[in-house]
Amino acid sequence: MKGILSGCLLAGVLLLLQDPAVHGAPPQPRGQLCRTRPTDLVFIIDSSRSVRPSEFEQVKVFLSGVIGALDVGVNATRVGVVNYASSVKNEFSLKTHKTTPALLQAVKKIEPLSTGTMTGLAIQFALNNAFSESEGARVRAPDISKVVIVVTDGRPQDGVKDISARARESGLEIFAIGVGRVDKSTLRQIASEPLDDHVDYVESYHVIEKLTKKFQEAFCDLSDLCSSGDHDCEQICVSSPGSYTCACKEGSTLNEDGKTCKACGATATDLVFLIDGSKSVRPENFELVKKFINQIVDSMDVGEKKAHVGLVQYSSSVRTEFPLGRFNNKKDLKSAVKKMAYMEKGTMTGMAIQHLIDDSFAISGGGRPGVPKVGIVFTDGRSQDYISEAAKKAKDLGYKMFAVGVGNAVEDELRQIASEPAAEHSFYTADFKTMSKIAQKLQFKICKKDPCECESIVEFQTKVEGLIQSMTRKLEAVTKRIAALENKIV
């Protein structure tokens, strides 16, 4: 017993010594909002008749999410909102509200105009009026940003190209968010360069809230980028002026992607991708899905006695693109992924998961007995069949299930598919272009951890410390009773 306890305490000491804080490098905060730089910010929101009242409420939720993360004040960030349809309504100016609660209350009161779509007229109003000194805009200065966020869901009934160019030339930085059937060329005419950073598209208003984090970070003070979140660093985010780098805890090394850390050896794993090939994905996005698969394959140690990868595509039917074990090197695997043809039909996710159970992980399908099984289910919409029974069975069989959703994917379905805890095994992004960030997170999570490593040590150490504390309390109580008896004897 003494030897085991000594070994446990030694493991605890070693664990503490591995903590970055012990070496003088405090752990970086994760998921906290940073201090935002002074900005004159004007939202231009489309409330034309194509925007339903419930959808307009989603826009207001998005506005509130961005505003709630800002440092609002006369000498900090000022916010105005311009509402437009066939006409333009100045809901409130940059000078109107000086606190976050007042702004959020004002946003709640905004009502849709429900007429046409005069986007050019709204941008003209912002340039001439909303950013005027009489409406609360500050004189141009290097330390004050001038930002416009345009949200629209349709084709404008007037021109936007020339007025947007004049607005950008005046020093305004313009972000364009398109929803649903928006004319995407219009978004590019409106937005500032680089377009990849200033143009966003979501399938519907129900997922526009997913863009909140991007804009929270866009207003972040560049002196401490890590304070706005972990920036997909697997372990540690280290800020530097205007930038950041990822680092790993002692005992781990940074992978080539500059984000994830290698903390475990190459172990045998059977991994199968279930890829949604329904018509809603669209051909150009299907190519991005293939890049997403190969990004994960790049991080794996593929080999006959190491990782085996299989690929299944599903839509109204299910098709095995290649089974586990057919390819034992990354080059052949990636080449096979690139050749995958797009099915372009319905979305039978439940059928696909059942296929994973019956065929993909079966010995006849290449599954190896005793080897951990990992399933990565990708979808961009609601399943047309039931998924709960098949998803539960997969998890009951011990498969580690990850769910990745894009665009109109239903988050309740993602949680049903994912292993517990669902928050660590399900991922969502509004845009196919940002799937690479999810791939970075998955690269580390699909690795099988040695049960003797840190998490088990911490758990064991916690139990031992609790036992020691209990024994200490009992010893103190006995000592007090002895002292009381001694006093009586005296």
Side-chain angles (χ1 to χ4, degrees):
M1 177 68 183
K2 182 178 179 182
I4 294 174
L5 186 59
S6 298
C8 293
L9 292 175
L10 176 60
V13 170
L14 289 173
L15 189 67
L16 290 172
L17 289 175
Q18 289 176 358
D19 193 317
V22 177
H23 293 285
Q28 297 294 322
R30 296 168 67 94
Q32 298 177 3
L33 297 178
C34 67
R35 181 173 180 81
T36 55
R37 58 183 180 271
T39 304
D40 286 349
L41 168 63
V42 173
F43 291 93
I44 299 178
I45 53 174
D46 180 353
S47 67
S48 55
R49 65 175 66 91
S50 61
V51 184
R52 300 186 186 93
S54 61
E55 294 173 332
F56 193 70
E57 290 302 310
Q58 294 294 324
V59 177
K60 289 157 64 173
V61 170
F62 165 70
L63 263 61
S64 297
V66 176
I67 291 170
L70 301 173
D71 295 319
V72 175
V74 175
N75 298 317
T77 295
R78 304 178 185 181
V79 180
V81 174
V82 173
N83 186 8
Y84 79 95
S86 294
S87 59
V88 177
K89 181 181 179 182
N90 191 27
E91 295 291 348
F92 51 84
S93 303
L94 292 168
K95 67 180 180 181
T96 309
H97 302 293
K98 300 176 178 62
T99 66
T100 301
L103 280 169
L104 296 177
Q105 193 63 35
V107 168
K108 287 182 180 179
K109 297 178 181 178
I110 300 175
E111 296 291 336
L113 302 176
S114 301
T115 49
T117 312
M118 301 294 283
T119 311
L121 182 65
I123 296 171
Q124 178 79 60
F125 180 87
L127 178 60
N128 295 344
N129 298 86
F131 281 98
S132 66
E133 289 183 43
S134 62
E135 292 299 319
R138 287 164 282 193
V139 177
R140 287 183 60 180
D143 60 337
I144 297 175
S145 303
K146 306 280 186 177
V147 178
V148 177
I149 299 177
V150 180
V151 181
T152 181
D153 83 328
R155 184 184 296 274
Q157 296 170 333
D158 58 355
V160 299
K161 185 175 181 180
D162 293 339
I163 183 58
S164 297
R166 289 200 297 274
R168 296 192 299 268
E169 288 167 4
S170 75
L172 300 183
E173 181 180 10
I174 307 178
F175 293 88
I177 300 174
V179 184
R181 296 183 179 179
V182 68
D183 176 35
K184 294 183 181 179
S185 64
T186 297
L187 302 180
R188 292 190 287 272
Q189 290 177 15
I190 293 172
S192 297
E193 294 284 353
L195 294 178
D196 284 347
D197 293 339
H198 291 84
V199 174
D200 288 283
Y201 172 78
V202 291
E203 298 282 349
S204 71
Y205 281 103
H206 296 295
V207 294
I208 191 172
E209 190 181 354
K210 301 296 181 181
L211 295 175
T212 302
K213 185 179 179 182
K214 169 188 171 172
F215 286 95
Q216 288 172 344
E217 293 186 4
F219 297 110
C220 182
D221 184 348
L222 294 178
S223 64
D224 187 12
L225 284 177
C226 288
S227 65
S228 68
D230 57 22
H231 292 276
D232 297 311
C233 293
E234 184 61 46
Q235 294 185 3
I236 302 171
C237 179
V238 181
S239 291
S240 58
S243 186
Y244 70 92
T245 55
C246 297
C248 299
K249 296 177 182 178
E250 197 169 307
S252 299
T253 57
L254 195 65
N255 288 322
E256 290 182 3
D257 62 11
K259 301 279 189 178
T260 59
C261 299
K262 188 174 182 180
C264 56
T267 56
T269 304
D270 285 347
L271 169 65
V272 175
F273 291 93
L274 293 182
I275 300 303
D276 183 350
S278 59
K279 58 180 173 290
S280 60
V281 174
R282 297 201 295 267
E284 65 273 18
N285 290 330
F286 194 70
E287 292 303 310
L288 294 175
V289 173
K290 291 195 276 188
K291 289 181 180 179
F292 163 81
I293 297 170
N294 280 339
Q295 185 178 348
I296 296 173
V297 170
D298 266 332
S299 70
M300 301 181 69
D301 199 351
V302 177
E304 187 175 348
K305 296 183 179 180
K306 298 176 183 178
H308 287 190
V309 178
L311 178 60
V312 173
Q313 184 182 173
Y314 70 94
S315 58
S316 297
S317 58
V318 180
R319 183 174 75 202
T320 297
E321 301 293 344
F322 53 82
L324 288 164
R326 174 171 292 179
F327 304 109
N328 286 321
N329 63 77
K330 293 181 187 179
K331 182 180 178 181
D332 291 344
L333 259 175
K334 293 170 69 175
S335 177
V337 171
K338 289 178 182 178
K339 293 175 183 176
M340 177 172 54
Y342 178 32
M343 294 176 75
E344 199 171 358
K345 293 182 182 178
T347 311
M348 303 293 281
T349 314
M351 183 191 297
I353 298 172
Q354 190 63 49
H355 178 88
L356 181 79
I357 297 167
D358 296 339
D359 296 274
S360 300
F361 283 142
I363 295 176
S364 59
R368 293 171 289 180
V371 172
K373 304 291 188 285
V374 178
I376 299 178
V377 182
F378 170 88
T379 181
D380 88 321
R382 184 183 294 276
S383 177
Q384 294 172 340
D385 61 354
Y386 293 107
I387 65 170
S388 56
E389 186 175 338
K392 182 178 184 302
K393 186 175 180 181
K395 290 181 284 188
D396 288 345
L397 287 169
Y399 303 161
K400 181 183 284 189
M401 299 294 292
F402 293 94
V404 179
V406 180
N408 289 326
V410 180
E411 293 192 64
D412 283 345
E413 290 189 354
L414 299 181
R415 285 190 288 270
Q416 283 186 59
I417 295 168
S419 295
E420 293 294 338
E424 294 182 12
H425 293 82
S426 62
F427 305 88
Y428 175 85
T429 180
D431 193 339
F432 280 85
K433 293 178 182 177
T434 59
M435 286 192 301
S436 61
K437 294 182 178 180
I438 293 177
Q440 289 165 2
K441 294 178 180 178
L442 276 170
Q443 285 169 352
F444 180 78
K445 290 182 179 291
I446 61 177
C447 177
K448 180 175 172 61
K449 295 182 181 178
D450 183 339
C452 296
E453 288 183 357
C454 293
E455 290 181 5
S456 295
I457 294 174
V458 170
E459 183 180 356
F460 192 65
Q461 179 192 359
T462 302
K463 291 180 180 178
V464 171
E465 287 175 346
L467 181 61
I468 292 172
Q469 290 174 2
S470 176
M471 292 171 63
T472 301
R473 287 193 294 270
K474 289 179 180 179
L475 182 60
E476 289 174 350
V478 170
T479 302
K480 289 179 181 178
R481 290 178 63 186
I482 292 173
L485 289 170
E486 288 177 345
N487 290 334
K488 288 181 180 181
I489 293 170
V490 174

